[in-house]
Amino acid sequence: MSLSPVEGVALAEIESDPDASTPAAKGVVGRSPGQLAWLRLRRDRTAVVSGVLLVFFLLLGLAAPLIEMVYGIGPREQFQNLLDGFGMPLGYAGGVTGEHWFGLEPGLGRDIFIRLIYGLRTSLFIAFAAALITATIGVVLGALAGYLGGWLDAVINWITDLTLAMPFLIIALALTPTITLRFYGERGQVSSAFGVGVLIAVFAIFGWTSTARLVRGQVIALREREFVEAARASGAGLGHMLFRQLLPNIWAPILVSFSLAVPQFITSEAALSFIGVGLSDETPSFGRMIYRSLDFLQTDPAYVFFPGIMIFALVFAFNLFGDALRDALDPKSSR
């Protein structure tokens, strides 16, 4: 009898354990592949440290309105009275005080700390929303192409190749202002929600291809296995074959792909905002803050330091956790 990959992973973990025959190890028999991966993940110090850091960032982003209430300063409030005649913050390190923990922005006098918190919230929302949409599109199209094959597989592969051939940056530079002009024209300030929605849509258009190819390859490798043939012979429909037989056996690479896509969207959002085609200046964003800080690198280096170190730590933690998650879900990993 042929086992599905999920059952095979669990059996391999049990057989590879030299103490599996002892009474203390008999409880391992009932562990699922997810539980075994969780145990490996907990033993990985890199995964634990990066996971704790990510939870901290997520809590900061979710609690942004509460932090604003406690902090007593909003992201759009300006403190022009705390700037000198040249628009530079008074005091040391860019105006760092007990009331303004990271100082003030030169020129406008907005509080850097609270804008960082809301910038973190914006980046995480865009990245997770885009990653979720692209993963859904990629999983559905890849599973259909891999399982059904034929003309549908050819069409989806053609669309995938066409999307990959398009230069993302050039298309984003042309598409984002065009959409904004189409809906807003020259009437005035673009709303923050609209700018966020446009970025998510642009990422969704270009970001699904890698997941689709990954899922298609995995499904092709599984569709001729005995457990799939048995389900097909029993009269199972397309939905049952995809969501009950195939996808539960390839959730691990999909999860790893999702975890590594999130930091890519974070850096992409910051890059587009940096060059002026992402979010507006009114919306807190790491990219816009870094762009504005370039004129004050010598006179106020703290302005570029805080958003720079924040986005570096966030992306670095996501990448470390994604690598650790990939090792934990791989039964052949030596870690």
Side-chain angles (χ1 to χ4, degrees):
M1 181 179 66
S2 175
L3 297 176
S4 69
V6 171
E7 295 168 337
V9 169
L11 183 60
E13 287 283 342
I14 296 170
E15 292 177 347
S16 63
D17 189 351
D19 299 326
S21 60
T22 63
K26 290 182 178 179
V28 179
V29 177
R31 289 174 180 167
S32 67
Q35 291 173 326
L36 295 172
W38 172 248
L39 290 176
R40 287 195 294 268
L41 198 64
R42 289 175 57 185
R43 290 196 296 263
D44 191 340
R45 294 182 179 179
T46 301
V48 173
V49 174
S50 59
V52 170
L53 189 58
L54 288 180
V55 171
F56 173 71
F57 283 135
L58 289 173
L59 291 177
L60 283 181
L62 292 173
L66 180 61
I67 295 175
E68 177 186 354
M69 184 184 304
V70 175
Y71 192 57
I73 298 175
R76 293 181 175 85
E77 292 186 45
Q78 299 184 12
F79 298 88
Q80 298 285 345
N81 59 314
L82 298 179
L83 304 178
D84 60 18
F86 299 97
M88 300 301 298
L90 299 173
Y92 297 99
V96 174
T97 62
E99 295 181 356
H100 305 284
W101 296 350
F102 289 174
L104 300 173
E105 288 184 340
L108 296 178
R110 295 178 298 194
D111 187 88
I112 294 177
F113 171 77
I114 197 63
R115 289 189 66 82
L116 278 180
I117 297 298
Y118 273 93
L120 176 65
R121 180 186 179 92
T122 302
S123 294
L124 289 176
F125 176 77
I126 292 175
F128 273 102
L132 184 61
I133 294 174
T134 54
T136 302
I137 297 174
V139 167
V140 172
L141 294 181
L144 289 174
Y147 181 71
L148 296 178
W151 66 269
L152 182 61
D153 185 23
V155 171
I156 293 178
N157 277 331
W158 182 82
I159 296 175
T160 302
D161 293 337
L162 179 63
T163 305
L164 289 173
M166 295 180 181
F168 168 74
L169 185 58
I170 296 177
I171 298 297
L173 285 171
L175 189 61
T176 305
T178 302
I179 295 176
T180 303
L181 186 63
R182 172 65 178 81
F183 284 91
Y184 277 83
E186 303 294 338
R187 290 179 296 174
Q189 185 66 36
V190 178
S191 67
S192 300
F194 182 83
V196 169
V198 169
L199 277 183
I200 294 175
V202 170
F203 292 152
I205 292 174
F206 292 93
W208 59 271
T209 53
S210 59
T211 303
R213 285 195 163 181
L214 172 67
V215 172
R216 175 182 177 273
Q218 295 289 328
V219 170
I220 289 176
L222 293 177
R223 67 183 181 185
E224 303 301 331
R225 296 285 292 272
E226 286 84 349
F227 73 94
V228 177
E229 292 289 349
R232 188 184 296 118
S234 65
L238 178 61
H240 178 87
M241 295 300 301
L242 293 180
F243 298 103
R244 297 295 297 275
Q245 297 295 330
L246 293 172
L247 291 184
N249 290 294
I250 60 174
W251 63 270
I254 295 174
L255 184 60
V256 172
S257 176
F258 179 88
S259 67
L260 295 177
V262 173
Q264 294 178 3
F265 289 131
I266 291 176
T267 54
S268 297
E269 179 273 320
L272 290 178
S273 298
F274 179 85
I275 60 179
V277 298
L279 303 175
S280 63
D281 190 64
E282 289 296 319
T283 305
S285 168
F286 293 142
R288 295 304 300 171
M289 294 184 70
I290 294 176
Y291 172 77
R292 285 181 50 83
S293 67
L294 294 181
D295 295 331
F296 307 98
L297 285 177
Q298 295 183 349
T299 55
D300 189 5
Y303 186 20
V304 69
F305 171 79
F306 290 117
I309 199 66
M310 177 74 83
I311 192 173
F312 168 78
L314 181 62
V315 174
F316 189 54
F318 265 113
N319 286 329
L320 287 180
F321 188 79
D323 291 338
L325 183 63
R326 178 178 54 197
D327 294 333
L329 293 173
D330 184 7
K332 299 179 182 179
S333 175
S334 59
R335 295 182 64 177

